[in-house]
Amino acid sequence: PKPGPQLMAFQKVEGWPLIAVVGIDEAEAMAPYQALARSYLAAGILLSIILGVAIFSQLRFTRRLRLANRQLRYSAQELQAANASKDRFIAHISHELRTPIAGISSGAELLEMSLEDPELLEDAATIRRASTHLLEIVNNLLTLSRGQADGFRVRVEKVALPELVAEVCQPWLTVCSKKGIALDRQSRVPEGTQVMGDATALRQILQNLISNAVKFTLEGGVKVELTISDAHVRVTVSDTGKGIDPALLPGLFQQFSR
């Protein structure tokens, strides 16, 4: 066979009329370099594939992130619009409620000035106090809707607690009497004792507790007790109702949990 290209090298031997000639095939001589070149080429291709996949993944992630940001921006705008609508609704309802409540309160005051029967006077006073409390709640809602408070702010003021408890219990005496249960108010706190707190919030909390106690008590009665210990006053509302299912206790103090 015809030999392929060869690489030739020679060197003259000093002192001798002799030349040494060595030849090697070009393919054999370049084989190690070609193998190394193929390795580099394969590594380059693999690295290009990996880099391409990484770039594609990054572009895809960036696209999804932009889409998520766009949806989040739209959701935030919708939420702001819903909150604005809710605030407008609360403000409107609050304004609409204030007028009839004020009328009820004024009517109750006129009754107090014109009535002479003690029982009727007490009923008129109960209506006036209840309407005043309701008006305070409505005003709190209006304040919240106007963005003038981050929620309901607690007003720290002096509160005559025994008198406040008596006022809250008074309307429930008739309800309990008609239902055939007792409402027992016991106080170990001297009349005129003042505590620091929010009268509106205290009145509303006590109103809710007594309301639930009366609602779920079919026989026996409800007891509201005031005690004092270590300069602290405790108000306890207890009843003889069937109580709460233990399975429902974890959700007892959750918002809007029934």
Side-chain angles (χ1 to χ4, degrees):
K2 183 178 179 181
Q6 293 185 343
L7 298 177
M8 308 298 295
F10 67 91
Q11 183 174 359
K12 182 178 180 181
V13 181
E14 186 177 355
W16 295 84
L18 178 63
I19 296 177
V21 179
V22 179
I24 186 172
D25 186 78
E26 181 181 4
E28 183 180 356
M30 297 299 295
Y33 302 101
Q34 291 175 350
L36 185 60
R38 285 193 294 271
S39 299
Y40 286 155
L41 179 61
I45 294 174
L46 180 60
L47 183 60
S48 298
I49 293 175
I50 294 175
L51 185 61
V53 171
I55 294 174
F56 175 77
S57 300
Q58 179 66 27
L59 291 176
R60 188 177 182 183
F61 173 77
T62 302
R63 182 184 178 189
R64 289 184 176 179
L65 184 61
R66 289 177 178 174
L67 180 61
N69 288 335
R70 189 180 302 114
Q71 293 175 345
L72 183 61
R73 185 167 59 252
Y74 290 155
S75 299
Q77 292 174 352
E78 293 175 356
L79 180 61
Q80 291 176 355
N83 284 334
S85 177
K86 178 198 66 176
D87 291 341
R88 288 193 298 270
F89 174 76
I90 293 177
H92 177 72
I93 292 298
S94 300
H95 278 296
E96 293 297 325
L97 288 175
R98 291 178 70 183
T99 300
I101 293 174
I104 294 172
S105 180
S106 300
E109 290 179 0
L110 291 175
L111 286 175
E112 286 185 274
M113 290 186 294
S114 60
L115 293 174
E116 296 181 358
D117 186 281
E119 292 185 1
L120 294 179
L121 279 172
E122 183 59 33
D123 291 341
T126 299
I127 294 173
R128 176 181 53 78
R129 288 192 294 264
S131 61
T132 300
H133 174 56
L134 184 58
L135 186 60
E136 290 176 352
I137 295 175
V138 170
N139 288 335
N140 285 338
L141 286 175
L142 185 59
T143 299
L144 178 62
S145 68
R146 288 173 176 173
Q148 295 178 354
D150 298 328
F152 289 106
R153 291 181 178 176
V154 176
R155 295 180 300 177
V156 180
E157 56 188 347
K158 291 182 179 180
V159 181
L161 191 58
E163 288 77 4
L164 183 145
V165 173
E167 290 178 5
V168 175
C169 289
Q170 182 62 35
W172 291 103
L173 292 173
T174 303
V175 176
C176 290
S177 177
K178 291 181 178 180
K179 195 174 181 180
I181 61 177
L183 177 59
D184 183 19
R185 179 173 62 87
Q186 300 180 3
S187 176
R188 300 177 185 175
V189 180
E191 294 293 328
T193 299
Q194 293 184 332
V195 298
M196 299 302 296
D198 188 325
T200 301
L202 289 173
R203 186 179 287 108
Q204 185 62 42
I205 293 171
L206 189 58
Q207 177 78 15
N208 291 341
L209 292 175
I210 296 177
S211 174
N212 284 335
V214 172
K215 178 179 180 181
F216 295 104
T217 300
L218 302 181
E219 58 183 13
V222 177
K223 182 169 69 173
V224 181
E225 186 177 10
L226 281 81
T227 57
I228 186 169
S229 175
D230 297 331
H232 290 83
V233 178
R234 180 188 297 271
V235 182
T236 305
V237 178
S238 57
D239 60 73
T240 58
K242 65 179 181 179
I244 301 175
D245 187 341
L248 301 178
L249 291 178
L252 184 59
F253 293 104
Q254 301 300 319
Q255 266 192 327
F256 307 112
S257 178
R258 188 177 182 85

